[in-house]
Amino acid sequence: VNGIPETLRVDERATRPAIDLWIGFAAPPPMEGAVVLHDRSPAAIWALAARSGVEDASRVGVVANDADGIAAARAAGAGAVIALSSDSADRQVLLHAQPDHLVEPDALPALLERAYSAERAMRSFVLLNPGPGLTTAGVRRAATVADVCHREPEFGAIDAGVRRKLRAVADVGVDWRAVLLAGSGTLADEAALRAAVRPGARVVVVRNGVYGERLHEIARRAGFLPIPVDAPWTEPVDPAAVAAELRADVDAVAVVHHETTTGLLNPLAEIAAVTRAAGVRLMVDAVSSFGAEPITLRGSGIDFLACSANKCLHGLPGLAFVLVSPDGVERAMQSGPATLYADLRGYLEAEDRGSPPFTPSVPATLALDQALDELLALGVGRHQAAYRRRAAILDEGFQRLGLRGLVAPEHRSSSIRTVTLPEGVSYDRLHALLKQEGFVIYAGQGPLAATAFRVACMGALDEELMSAFVERLGAAIAACQSAVVA
Amino acid sequence: VNGIPETLRVDERATRPAIDLWIGFAAPPPMEGAVVLHDRSPAAIWALAARSGVEDASRVGVVANDADGIAAARAAGAGAVIALSSDSADRQVLLHAQPDHLVEPDALPALLERAYSAERAMRSFVLLNPGPGLTTAGVRRAATVADVCHREPEFGAIDAGVRRKLRAVADVGVDWRAVLLAGSGTLADEAALRAAVRPGARVVVVRNGVYGERLHEIARRAGFLPIPVDAPWTEPVDPAAVAAELRADVDAVAVVHHETTTGLLNPLAEIAAVTRAAGVRLMVDAVSSFGAEPITLRGSGIDFLACSANKCLHGLPGLAFVLVSPDGVERAMQSGPATLYADLRGYLEAEDRGSPPFTPSVPATLALDQALDELLALGVGRHQAAYRRRAAILDEGFQRLGLRGLVAPEHRSSSIRTVTLPEGVSYDRLHALLKQEGFVIYAGQGPLAATAFRVACMGALDEELMSAFVERLGAAIAACQSAVVA
């Protein structure tokens, strides 16, 4: 039985086969239970589906052995379009009709098991890892609505629209720049951090989690002789400790706003006040906070904010960005790029010329455009409130189940929880039991891997789903513990 | 009238509206010509579509004002699912049903024009730019078949499968490594070039096009004091000139196999023989050649081959990769990474640990997996032969039209042609006329921008389409020239 509410992602639940009705166009039927249809037309496929009570095109699968059958299946919107080939001379023609798969009859059973059974690898689990998370149908559809040349004006308009919408979410004016990068959040971190520091200058790096350590490593490799300001992984850094390290040769401070390691928030506004007062640049990794947490950028002292599309904005992975203040742009122009791909200045100059410097992640850009439309249609405040409500369901549920959060309530974000594994519960077993129910949780990071697990509420989730998860979590923990007792 | 054959991409031609039948669920109809349906069910939508002669779900559009209507439209496979909201309280509920767009009634006409009219920006032009090119329906569908957590074994299996299939296309054994990177081909270039050179050593860089100049710039920024070997943009480099620069402190040679600037091939096998004999590493930018041109890797002397998913392999942009020989792996382990994101060694070590170092481009990885399945189902030899046939159609057509290719026939690739603009023909005008017919051509690069244009035959194209293009090109040139005469 399926743990995911019927209302959510109705056509993509994780624990049933992908296809309810299989159709073939020639006797004998391609597999047991399939229906043979002699009319290779979408109307015939639809009529059969309706008669069979399968009122969802994506849950109809078609096995065809010619191009007309493939075309009919595609036009009907079938969720599986399989071309069957027994004669190798057919292959070019069949491939040209663009099926989802081309197989020899012998290989069909294995394909059905691998790609369409209840146990298929690519099923829609409810992702409670800290991104990439669940996306909406609209976002996934927008990603591949058309193949687009990135040098044509239609892509330029999308690119400009994404930058405009990012500024709207950030509540900054056109004096801020938004630089889009094809890559992960770490690329945005590297581009932003390198741009914040002039040749020969140093950078103070806050380290209280894996991502703070990563910023330190980026700075070290860049030759910036980073000055670490450390705090325990479960404690926010003290802004005064940052202030104390601002020697004359320090050009910038780098800090992770929200440590994905633990779900800990660092005191961003207070650190920004310190850097603003000192006149040094502030580079912020907001990869797992931007969109979900309120962040004041305008006039705050923050100069570089690095983020990715696929966390709290609900876009697809493969795209990252940096928001840059006017002071940040000035600093970027003085930085000494020792890399080409992570050189923020190069991207800024390319934007001035009107074309991206390198081939962008076109599908992820189209997807982010759609995700931002959806976010702005709901409203930034309501988007953030929805995160807080989902996190509250987790907090209440964990308390009810007697689970201990690693971070004190006042320092927790609204998107990630790190929870100590209860007595007798191994992560692997807990993960496996919950995955059977359709939920994917996330391991603790570094030394926490053995003692804790993580649950994120990023992505196109809802409260009903979080409540269902808490219930299943309780049952899974009980199952682990009773197995130990037995 | 549409220049694209009916057989090709039947549901996505560039010069007609996206939707043939609009349906609303409440009177009055949402727009002129729309049909009002009182039954919010997929079966009713299908029956109406069949009755209306629209036998393609993707060409049916639905405007709904409640979640049930949105769900019915999605289940029917409608190509447009628009939620209409006049009451702001509805928005969260409507968005939760995941329409393609949510608009107020006032904004509907503008949305229809922008997203669904014959003039919509996101229509499927026939892309004759040198990638990202056209992809198949299977590739686009695979990209977003499910949201996947990149730390789960199901993604690990896809990732391993992609690397295995890349080795199959390259015809190398498991002693070669395939490193996947989230980013463009330039990232692969930077990661490969940096890995080929030890700290303090130098690199010889072939420069006879924009991408050779880019390799030189990557090497310069990395501090490798690159030694250029220059040739005119239309001439292959002389392998003896490369050999002449192999001084004792040179660790590697970097060369672009196929200059996307012009469509010129450099003599890769001969250069590899030089580096093999000298015992230095060879780094090759094969971004626009791998897949289309025969390349012998095994035992050839090539150690690092950088490429991207979205050119001759027909995947989506946002993913690049480096194939690394055993000697290349050894060298990478001796390189001195001055960047984190472009550090090939870090990726190799992460693969050894069994998990990607940074969030991968998940959708582009799924898409490349499918694209490689399709390529291998056809066969590498037939894939390359198809490129040669398409290029031959261009060559014959250009000759018939009296157009002059910039590169001598014996040095041309099978995927890109650079052609001198004929008398009286401006690129902008030619581009505009051809775009009206559904074809996107590409400007000349650098100093060639004013005098030449480019045509690529990369991607999910076919011969019929190339012939149609040649015919339209002739008509467009004639139109430009007659306008000049008049």
Side-chain angles (χ1 to χ4, degrees):
Chain A
V1 199
N2 194 326
I4 308 168
E6 290 288 321
T7 50
L8 208 111
R9 304 171 62 76
V10 279
D11 54 345
E12 295 166 329
R13 274 156 297 158
T15 51
R16 59 189 268 215
I19 299 298
D20 292 329
L21 170 66
W22 283 103
I23 296 175
F25 291 123
M31 73 283 277
E32 210 186 332
V35 179
V36 174
L37 196 61
H38 291 287
D39 181 356
R40 286 168 174 72
S41 80
I45 294 170
W46 291 336
L48 176 59
R51 259 197 332 271
S52 310
V54 178
E55 292 206 22
D56 185 334
S58 73
R59 303 197 60 82
V60 174
V62 176
V63 180
N65 55 13
D66 64 14
D68 286 351
I70 296 168
R74 285 189 51 201
V81 183
I82 299 175
L84 212 57
S85 155
S86 50
D87 170 2
S88 68
D90 287 342
R91 295 188 149 238
Q92 195 140 6
V93 171
L94 291 174
L95 284 167
H96 191 256
Q98 307 196 358
D100 297 330
H101 301 281
L102 170 66
V103 287
E104 310 284 318
D106 286 356
L108 183 61
L111 171 65
L112 296 176
E113 179 61 28
R114 173 168 65 80
Y116 301 104
S117 74
E119 298 303 311
R120 68 197 180 280
M122 289 294 119
R123 48 204 211 266
S124 274
F125 294 102
V126 177
L127 301 182
L128 303 178
N129 54 291
L134 292 181
T135 58
T136 64
V139 165
R140 278 173 283 127
R141 166 121 77 171
T144 55
V145 67
D147 294 310
V148 185
C149 172
H150 61 293
R151 303 283 177 209
E152 291 293 307
E154 56 269 22
F155 184 77
I158 294 283
D159 185 80
V162 166
R163 288 186 275 106
R164 181 168 39 77
K165 292 166 196 176
L166 287 173
R167 286 196 297 264
V169 172
D171 189 27
V172 294
V174 291
D175 53 337
W176 281 65
R177 302 284 289 268
V179 175
L180 305 186
L181 307 159
S184 80
T186 299
L187 172 62
D189 278 340
E190 179 154 359
L193 204 163
R194 283 177 173 275
V197 184
R198 286 169 294 196
R202 299 185 68 179
V203 58
V204 170
V205 182
V206 170
R207 290 195 306 193
N208 53 351
V210 167
Y211 296 91
E213 290 172 7
R214 185 174 290 182
L215 292 182
H216 189 269
E217 178 64 10
I218 288 170
R220 193 187 68 76
R221 294 189 182 202
F224 295 160
L225 304 175
I227 302 160
V229 174
D230 293 336
W233 278 16
T234 53
E235 293 294 330
V237 72
D238 177 2
V242 173
E245 296 294 346
L246 297 182
R247 305 196 282 254
D249 59 349
V250 167
D251 244 8
V253 171
V255 63
V256 176
H257 181 207
H258 175 218
E259 264 294 351
T260 311
T261 320
T262 52
L264 173 78
L265 287 174
N266 273 313
L268 188 54
E270 290 76 1
I271 296 170
V274 165
T275 59
R276 195 176 62 234
V280 303
R281 300 286 80 79
L282 178 57
M283 178 269 155
V284 179
D285 170 323
V287 171
S288 66
S289 65
F290 182 73
E293 311 293 335
I295 303 176
T296 300
L297 287 177
R298 220 189 263 267
S300 66
I302 297 171
D303 295 301
F304 301 91
L305 182 137
C307 189
S308 86
N310 57 270
K311 293 198 190 274
C312 304
L313 297 176
H314 307 183
L316 293 174
L319 176 62
F321 59 89
V322 185
L323 298 175
V324 193
S325 76
D327 285 347
V329 172
E330 194 185 327
R331 172 59 54 82
M333 294 302 164
Q334 301 160 347
S335 63
T339 129
L340 186 66
Y341 198 70
D343 173 27
L344 197 72
R345 175 179 179 163
Y347 289 87
L348 288 164
E349 289 171 348
E351 193 198 316
D352 290 338
R353 290 192 307 269
S355 204
F358 314 120
T359 303
S361 281
V362 176
T365 310
L366 299 177
L368 181 58
D369 186 51
Q370 171 80 15
L372 292 169
D373 278 347
E374 295 181 10
L375 196 164
L376 292 167
L378 183 64
V380 175
R382 292 175 83 176
H383 181 80
Q384 295 178 349
Y387 266 82
R388 288 193 294 273
R389 285 197 304 274
R390 293 199 297 264
I393 292 171
L394 290 179
D395 284 336
E396 286 160 22
F398 294 158
Q399 194 162 25
R400 207 164 54 239
L401 296 172
L403 297 172
R404 205 171 58 80
L406 230 71
V407 171
E410 64 272 25
H411 302 313
R412 288 177 194 165
S413 72
S414 54
S415 66
I416 297 177
R417 293 292 175 268
T418 302
V419 180
T420 303
L421 282 163
E423 194 87 10
V425 178
S426 80
Y427 174 74
D428 288 346
R429 177 89 180 117
L430 186 65
H431 175 273
L433 285 174
L434 286 165
K435 199 163 180 186
Q436 276 173 25
E437 302 284 333
F439 293 94
V440 169
I441 60 171
Y442 213 58
Q445 206 160 6
L448 296 176
T451 60
F453 66 100
R454 284 180 286 178
V455 180
C457 57
M458 288 176 191
L461 296 162
D462 68 7
E463 294 165 49
E464 207 176 338
L465 207 47
M466 300 316 292
S467 300
F469 165 70
V470 168
E471 185 198 309
R472 298 300 158 134
L473 176 64
I477 289 173
C480 289
Q481 291 176 327
S482 73
V484 171
V485 173
Chain B
V1 199
N2 194 327
I4 308 168
E6 291 287 321
T7 51
L8 209 110
R9 302 172 63 76
V10 280
D11 54 345
E12 298 167 328
R13 274 157 298 158
T15 51
R16 59 190 270 214
I19 300 297
D20 292 330
L21 170 65
W22 282 103
I23 296 174
F25 291 123
M31 73 282 276
E32 210 186 331
V35 179
V36 174
L37 195 60
H38 291 287
D39 182 356
R40 287 168 173 72
S41 79
I45 293 170
W46 290 337
L48 176 59
R51 261 197 331 270
S52 310
V54 178
E55 292 206 22
D56 186 333
S58 73
R59 302 196 60 82
V60 174
V62 175
V63 180
N65 56 13
D66 62 16
D68 286 351
I70 296 167
R74 285 190 51 202
V81 182
I82 300 175
L84 212 57
S85 156
S86 50
D87 170 2
S88 67
D90 288 343
R91 295 187 149 236
Q92 195 140 7
V93 171
L94 291 173
L95 284 167
H96 191 256
Q98 307 197 356
D100 297 331
H101 299 282
L102 170 66
V103 287
E104 309 283 316
D106 286 358
L108 183 60
L111 170 65
L112 296 176
E113 180 62 27
R114 174 168 66 78
Y116 301 104
S117 74
E119 299 304 311
R120 68 196 180 281
M122 290 296 118
R123 49 203 208 267
S124 275
F125 294 102
V126 177
L127 301 182
L128 303 177
N129 54 291
L134 292 182
T135 58
T136 64
V139 165
R140 278 173 281 124
R141 166 122 74 172
T144 54
V145 66
D147 294 310
V148 185
C149 172
H150 61 293
R151 302 283 177 210
E152 291 293 309
E154 56 269 22
F155 184 76
I158 295 283
D159 185 81
V162 166
R163 289 185 275 106
R164 180 168 41 77
K165 293 165 195 176
L166 287 172
R167 287 196 297 262
V169 172
D171 190 25
V172 294
V174 290
D175 53 336
W176 281 64
R177 301 283 291 266
V179 176
L180 306 185
L181 307 159
S184 79
T186 299
L187 173 62
D189 279 341
E190 179 154 0
L193 204 162
R194 283 178 173 273
V197 184
R198 286 169 294 196
R202 299 185 69 178
V203 59
V204 170
V205 182
V206 170
R207 291 194 306 192
N208 54 351
V210 167
Y211 296 91
E213 290 172 7
R214 186 173 291 183
L215 292 182
H216 189 270
E217 178 64 11
I218 288 170
R220 192 188 68 75
R221 292 188 183 202
F224 295 158
L225 305 175
I227 302 161
V229 175
D230 292 336
W233 278 17
T234 53
E235 293 295 331
V237 73
D238 178 1
V242 173
E245 297 294 348
L246 296 182
R247 306 196 282 256
D249 60 348
V250 168
D251 244 7
V253 171
V255 64
V256 176
H257 179 207
H258 176 217
E259 263 296 351
T260 311
T261 320
T262 53
L264 173 78
L265 287 175
N266 273 314
L268 188 54
E270 291 78 1
I271 296 170
V274 165
T275 59
R276 195 176 60 234
V280 304
R281 300 285 81 80
L282 178 56
M283 179 268 155
V284 180
D285 171 323
V287 170
S288 66
S289 66
F290 183 74
E293 311 293 337
I295 303 176
T296 301
L297 287 177
R298 221 189 263 268
S300 66
I302 297 171
D303 294 302
F304 300 90
L305 182 137
C307 188
S308 86
N310 57 270
K311 294 199 191 274
C312 303
L313 297 177
H314 308 182
L316 293 174
L319 176 62
F321 59 90
V322 185
L323 298 175
V324 193
S325 76
D327 284 348
V329 172
E330 192 186 328
R331 173 59 54 82
M333 294 302 163
Q334 301 158 348
S335 65
T339 128
L340 186 66
Y341 199 71
D343 173 26
L344 198 70
R345 176 180 179 162
Y347 289 87
L348 287 165
E349 290 172 345
E351 193 198 316
D352 289 337
R353 288 192 306 270
S355 203
F358 315 120
T359 303
S361 281
V362 176
T365 310
L366 299 177
L368 181 57
D369 186 51
Q370 171 80 14
L372 291 169
D373 278 347
E374 295 181 10
L375 196 164
L376 292 167
L378 183 63
V380 175
R382 294 175 83 176
H383 182 81
Q384 295 179 349
Y387 266 83
R388 287 193 296 272
R389 284 197 304 274
R390 294 199 297 263
I393 292 171
L394 290 179
D395 284 336
E396 286 159 23
F398 294 158
Q399 193 162 25
R400 207 163 57 238
L401 296 172
L403 296 173
R404 204 170 59 79
L406 230 70
V407 171
E410 63 273 25
H411 303 312
R412 287 178 195 163
S413 71
S414 55
S415 66
I416 298 177
R417 293 293 175 268
T418 302
V419 181
T420 303
L421 281 162
E423 196 86 11
V425 178
S426 79
Y427 174 75
D428 288 346
R429 178 90 180 116
L430 186 64
H431 175 273
L433 285 173
L434 286 165
K435 198 164 179 184
Q436 276 173 25
E437 301 284 334
F439 294 95
V440 168
I441 59 170
Y442 212 58
Q445 206 160 6
L448 296 175
T451 60
F453 66 101
R454 283 180 286 178
V455 180
C457 57
M458 288 175 193
L461 296 162
D462 68 9
E463 295 166 48
E464 207 176 339
L465 206 49
M466 300 315 292
S467 300
F469 165 70
V470 168
E471 185 198 308
R472 300 301 158 131
L473 175 64
I477 289 172
C480 288
Q481 291 176 328
S482 73
V484 170
V485 173

